[in-house]
Amino acid sequence: MKKIIIILSSVIIVLGAVLFGGYLYTTHPSEEYGLKNFSFKVPDGFECIDHTVDHSFTYKFFGETIFIRDLDMNCDLETAKNYVYRISEDTKFEKLEGYPYDGYYCTAKPVFWSEDDEKSVQIGYILGTDTNYFDIYCDCTPLKAKIIKPIIAKIAKTAKYTSDFRLADKPDVYDCEYLSVYTGSKYYCRECDETYAVPPDHILSLEENYANTDNPAKIVFPALEIKVYDNGKSPVELADDVYNGFLETEESVKDIRPDGFYDEVTREQRDMFGLKCELVHSMDKNYCFDYYYFSNGKYTYYINVKYTKNADEADIKEMLDGITIKNK
């Protein structure tokens, strides 16, 4: 009898070790991945099913889809969490403690949730620093949420900020051979992080936004974009193409939308930056878009500003006044 008990005990111990090993395999973060601004680890039991270079990973685990995103934003954490989860319903936030960066645990109803949908819970963690955030979330049933939550919590704790960018070290001026852009501490001008299937026809591409806003309305707008070309493009022809494109769009929708998309579309010349610019201006009920084209030596410049009507005009003036075109 004693021998049987010993044998059963041994079997139970071995079985427990196997089950514990399997649990660690599927739930303990051990395999490292990298995004633009963060590295992180996931369990070996996670199956990677999609990947966008620098920006996101998608995994399958326990029959559910786990999303991980690198969010390069221009706002503080409080504003970021509300913006990222703005279209979810019944959102609740719980401030994180014991994590490598400030952050929140979030619960909500999934974006496309309906009464018939079993996946009635969205759980996620958002944390980060210097306007860059690591976001992991999953839509699942309440029962599975109890299992998945501690696992994605472990993953969030492995997040490590790998970027050299520090908001406190942001320069007040972007300077290159073609132009300089004074931003002060309020705005941030940087080269666009773009991937092209074919080589681009511009030699410089910049974007400027608020550096670190606490106003959700200032995350996307105002925005300024600059491109420089050395391919002999004509500012007049470029502006004409944009203007005619607007007119063609209005003509194509007049049967179904008699008032058109735009409240106003104009084409003019204006002196800007000490040069003669071709300007196309368009405006709808909420937003304005201005397109400037001009030549400076052998280079053609394109500046596009996007802003909320009756709200961002002062910001846009500051942005444009901060641009100095260098003589060529």
Side-chain angles (χ1 to χ4, degrees):
M1 186 68 178
K2 185 176 180 181
K3 187 174 182 180
I4 293 174
I5 293 174
I6 293 173
I7 293 173
L8 287 174
S9 299
S10 299
V11 170
I12 291 171
I13 291 171
V14 171
L15 182 59
V18 170
L19 292 173
F20 182 69
Y23 175 79
L24 285 179
Y25 174 80
T26 57
T27 64
H28 179 69
S30 58
E31 190 170 351
E32 187 169 82
Y33 291 83
L35 294 163
K36 178 185 175 183
N37 297 296
F38 293 91
S39 66
F40 63 96
K41 293 180 180 179
V42 300
D44 287 334
F46 273 48
E47 178 191 0
C48 182
I49 59 173
D50 195 19
H51 170 43
T52 302
V53 176
D54 286 343
H55 300 294
S56 67
F57 281 92
T58 306
Y59 299 92
K60 273 292 185 184
F61 172 73
F62 201 45
E64 301 295 347
T65 305
I66 313 290
F67 301 92
I68 296 179
R69 298 183 293 179
D70 186 313
L71 304 176
D72 184 350
M73 302 187 71
N74 61 334
C75 59
D76 59 25
L77 173 64
E78 296 295 321
T79 308
K81 71 175 176 58
N82 292 326
Y83 184 82
V84 170
Y85 288 91
R86 68 192 183 281
I87 56 177
S88 300
E89 296 181 12
D90 298 338
T91 307
K92 297 179 179 63
F93 296 103
E94 179 184 324
K95 197 168 182 62
L96 298 179
E97 294 182 3
Y99 284 72
Y101 310 102
D102 290 339
Y104 285 89
Y105 169 64
C106 315
T107 59
K109 287 182 179 177
V111 174
F112 300 108
W113 177 80
S114 68
E115 293 290 343
D116 299 327
D117 193 346
E118 292 183 355
K119 297 183 180 183
S120 59
V121 177
Q122 182 179 81
I123 57 174
Y125 288 80
I126 180 169
L127 64 159
T129 182
D130 293 283
T131 68
N132 290 303
Y133 303 101
F134 177 87
D135 181 46
I136 178 170
Y137 68 97
C138 174
D139 295 347
C140 57
T141 64
L143 180 60
K144 284 190 175 180
K146 295 181 183 297
I147 299 170
I148 293 173
K149 177 187 174 182
I151 298 170
I152 64 175
K154 289 179 183 178
I155 296 171
K157 283 187 175 181
T158 71
K160 181 179 179 182
Y161 189 58
T162 56
S163 171
D164 293 331
F165 175 74
R166 297 293 183 273
L167 194 61
D169 299 332
K170 180 192 77 68
D172 287 345
V173 178
Y174 176 89
D175 188 69
C176 68
E177 61 178 302
Y178 311 105
L179 76 167
S180 67
V181 182
Y182 176 77
T183 62
S185 60
K186 186 176 182 180
Y187 306 109
Y188 180 38
C189 182
R190 58 200 176 279
E191 295 186 19
C192 293
D193 180 20
E194 299 172 308
T195 302
Y196 300 95
V198 296
D201 59 352
H202 56 261
I203 56 176
L204 179 69
S205 179
L206 304 175
E207 58 186 3
E208 183 178 358
N209 302 85
Y210 263 75
N212 184 24
T213 183
D214 59 2
N215 182 351
K218 300 289 188 181
I219 293 176
V220 178
F221 296 135
L224 183 147
E225 178 187 12
I226 302 173
K227 282 186 168 65
V228 180
Y229 303 87
D230 68 348
N231 54 10
K233 287 192 172 184
S234 162
V236 173
E237 292 178 359
L238 289 169
D240 284 344
D241 287 344
V242 172
Y243 180 68
N244 292 333
F246 280 124
L247 298 184
E248 289 170 6
T249 298
E250 294 291 78
E251 182 67 22
S252 67
V253 300
K254 68 179 183 179
D255 291 338
I256 58 173
R257 196 165 174 169
D259 293 336
F261 284 117
Y262 308 103
D263 291 354
E264 182 179 275
V265 178
T266 61
R267 169 82 165 83
E268 62 179 285
Q269 286 188 334
R270 183 177 295 182
D271 290 331
M272 296 279 292
F273 320 111
L275 298 160
K276 189 175 291 294
C277 297
E278 305 294 330
L279 169 63
V280 178
H281 167 77
S282 68
M283 179 174 66
D284 59 26
K285 288 180 172 52
N286 300 305
Y287 303 106
C288 299
F289 304 87
D290 295 341
Y291 305 81
Y292 297 89
Y293 297 91
F294 56 92
S295 291
N296 181 35
K298 68 174 184 176
Y299 300 107
T300 301
Y301 291 69
Y302 159 74
I303 298 177
N304 172 219
V305 293
K306 313 164 192 177
Y307 52 101
T308 305
K309 187 165 59 177
N310 300 323
D312 295 335
E313 284 81 358
D315 286 322
I316 288 299
K317 185 178 186 306
E318 279 187 319
M319 289 179 169
L320 290 172
D321 287 348
I323 299 172
T324 300
I325 306 300
K326 297 184 177 180
N327 293 327
K328 290 293 180 182

